[in-house]
Every structure is written in C-alpha cells, then in structure tokens.
C-alpha cells in the first residue's frame, strides 16, 4: 500500500499564536508531527503551509515543506492546492494529518489509509473510537459519528448521537457503541482536489463540521474504529504543557 501524508500548518491561531513552531523538547511541533508521520510508512510526508517561517523550520530539520496560498479557508483547501502542485494522480491516497498532533500514533495513520484501500466505494476514510463517559458523550466539542454495518459514516454531529430513548444522566448508552470522531482523514487525491469546489451544505453550516459536505454530496466515508485513543493534541497553552510533560517522561 502506498500513501502520502500532507500536514496543513498555519501560524494564525487565536488560542495559541505560532502554534506550529512551539518548542517541544527542542523541536518545533510541526516537525514532531512530521517525524511521527514518517514512521507510518508513507512514501512522502510534506508540510503544506502559508508561512515561510514554517517552511524554514521544516527544512532546518530535514522535513519537506510546500508554501501555499495564505487565503485558504480550511486545511482541506490547502491540501487540495498541495495535491495539484505535487501532481498526484487521482487515485493516490493522501492522508491529512493535523499539524497540532505531535503524539499521533504512526500505526493509526497507516490504519486510516488502509481503511480507504479496503473501501474502494469511498472517497474518504477517517477514524473513531468508543466513548464510555456520559459527560464526554454530551459535550458539543466532542464530535460523534454514527456508522452503518460496513463501518461507513452515516452522520457526524456535535449532539449526543445515537440518542438512547431511555437515557439517564449517569451512564453512556451501550458503552463502546457510541463513537468519537478523530480528525484524521485519508482522501483519494482526485476527490480532494474537487472538494473545495463543492457547495457547503446546510448541515455543515449548522454543525460547523466540514466532513458533512462529503456526505451531503453523496460520497461515502469509511471509518476505522480503533480500540485506543489518539495521543494528546494541542489547542491551548495547557495542552502544550501536557504534551511537554508527556515527552519529558518518555
């Protein structure tokens, strides 16, 4: 199996300015992410960014980087430009690995790519894991996914779905059957190039979830269900400190 990893990274961040360049045990965060991705067996790992400073940091540490336009509204749009610039064939598999996941498991990246290989009817693949905590289930910042019998996404929501008719406040219904979505994606390059031209859907606007555009336009998303949670991501200064502590303990 051959697949490519692209890592979108931008300097602008309301909660953590210059996040991709944050120091993690002597390396910029985006470099840590790329190094984890390189262990996945990808034929190519490249950072796609709007910032010359990020390109320079990557090059200094032996990571390939591509400078893209600064006006992209989303990481998917940035990766679509990168796909075109790299001349990837329509059937090439491209992994979108977020630039703020320095502890991402390389085997999870590979498993996501394999899910797309195993589902030729799907344009996209992603990852989920079981939720067993009632508070997490009800948290709108935790995105849930509902799947069909072939592990293909039926719907993504910030609401607690599927909703158990006889739910109580003390337990999560059917522990392990409720799935939390993980923001790791595999695309067929042809679809990724086409995605920014698709009209955003009403559901996408309501939920503020870009992946609902894929389903709205009739494409399918395969879901790899993992038994373990992904590593710590970084959204806030507190997250950054937790990751630093995790690296220090290794």
């Amino acid at each position: 199996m051959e697949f490519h990893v692209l890592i979108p990274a931008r300097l602008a961040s309301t909660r953590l300015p210059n996040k991709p360049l944050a120091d993690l045990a002597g390396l910029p965060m985006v470099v840590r992410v790329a190094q984890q991705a390189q262990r996945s067996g990808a034929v190519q790992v490249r950072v796609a960014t709007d910032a010359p400073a990020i390109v320079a940091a990557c090059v200094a540490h032996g990571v390939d980087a591509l400078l893209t336009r600064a006006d992209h509204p989303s990481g998917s749009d940035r990766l679509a430009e990168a796909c075109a610039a790299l001349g990837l064939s329509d059937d090439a598999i491209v992994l979108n690995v977020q630039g703020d996941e320095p502890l991402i498991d390389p085997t999870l990246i590979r498993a996501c790519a394999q899910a797309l290989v195993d589902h030729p009817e799907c344009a996209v693949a992603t990852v989920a894991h079981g939720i067993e905590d009632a508070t997490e289930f009800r948290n709108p910042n935790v995105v849930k996914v509902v799947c069909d019998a072939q592990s293909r996404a039926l719907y993504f929501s910030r609401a607690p779905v599927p909703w158990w008719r006889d739910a109580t406040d003390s337990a999560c219904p059917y522990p392990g059957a409720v799935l939390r979505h993980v923001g790791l994606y595999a695309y067929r390059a042809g679809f990724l190039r086409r995605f920014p031209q698709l009209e955003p859907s009403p559901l996408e606007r309501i939920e503020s979830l870009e992946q609902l555009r894929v389903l709205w336009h009739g494409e399918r998303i395969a879901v790899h269900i993992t038994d373990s949670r992904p590593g710590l991501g970084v959204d806030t200064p507190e997250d950054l400190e937790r990751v630093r502590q995790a690296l220090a303990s290794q």
Side-chain angles (χ1 to χ4, degrees):
M1 175 182 62
E2 288 191 357
F3 61 96
H4 308 257
V5 171
L6 296 177
I7 303 168
R10 63 189 185 95
L11 282 180
S13 173
T14 55
R15 287 183 289 183
L16 190 59
N18 299 325
K19 181 167 65 170
L21 299 180
D23 182 85
L24 291 177
L27 289 175
M29 182 176 354
V30 71
V31 171
R32 289 261 176 205
V33 176
Q35 289 178 343
Q36 289 297 96
Q38 287 167 348
R39 298 184 182 104
S40 69
V43 296
Q44 175 179 212
V45 175
R46 193 175 294 254
V47 173
T49 180
D50 62 351
I54 294 177
V55 173
C58 290
V59 171
H61 294 284
V63 172
D64 291 332
L66 176 68
L67 190 63
T68 60
R69 298 198 331 257
D71 59 348
H72 287 302
S74 73
S76 299
D77 293 88
R78 192 173 309 285
L79 296 195
E81 180 189 347
C83 274
L86 295 172
L88 298 179
S89 65
D90 282 353
D91 59 354
I93 293 176
V94 179
L95 272 287
N96 178 350
V97 176
Q98 297 302 308
D100 56 6
E101 297 283 346
L103 301 181
I104 190 167
D105 184 350
T107 62
L108 194 62
I109 297 173
R110 188 171 187 86
C112 186
Q114 187 65 56
L116 192 54
V117 171
D118 293 343
H119 289 269
E121 78 282 9
C122 294
V124 181
T126 191
V127 175
H129 66 79
I131 298 176
E132 298 187 7
D133 179 80
T135 301
E136 190 174 36
F137 180 54
R138 290 169 172 79
N139 185 347
N141 294 316
V142 174
V143 178
K144 277 69 69 175
V145 57
V146 178
C147 298
D148 68 12
Q150 283 74 47
S151 293
R152 297 176 305 207
L154 292 170
Y155 191 64
F156 296 84
S157 183
R158 297 182 182 279
V161 294
W163 183 254
W164 186 30
R165 186 193 64 181
D166 300 319
T168 69
D169 291 333
S170 60
C172 184
Y174 305 107
V178 177
L179 298 174
R180 176 177 187 163
H181 177 235
V182 176
L184 172 65
Y185 295 95
Y187 299 90
R188 302 193 193 280
F191 175 75
L192 181 55
R193 279 191 287 263
R194 185 165 58 90
F195 179 76
Q197 279 72 55
L198 295 177
E199 183 71 20
S201 76
L203 295 175
E204 174 186 355
R205 293 190 179 100
I206 290 168
E207 296 262 18
S208 192
L209 295 175
E210 190 179 69
Q211 61 269 38
L212 289 173
R213 190 187 315 178
V214 180
L215 300 181
W216 177 266
H217 288 281
E219 299 287 354
R220 289 176 169 175
I221 301 176
V223 181
H224 169 71
I225 300 172
T226 178
D227 292 331
S228 59
R229 288 173 173 264
L232 293 169
V234 178
D235 286 319
T236 66
E238 293 76 20
D239 295 335
L240 184 62
E241 185 56 34
R242 281 192 286 269
V243 170
R244 284 172 173 160
Q245 291 174 2
L247 289 171
S249 67
Q250 290 181 355

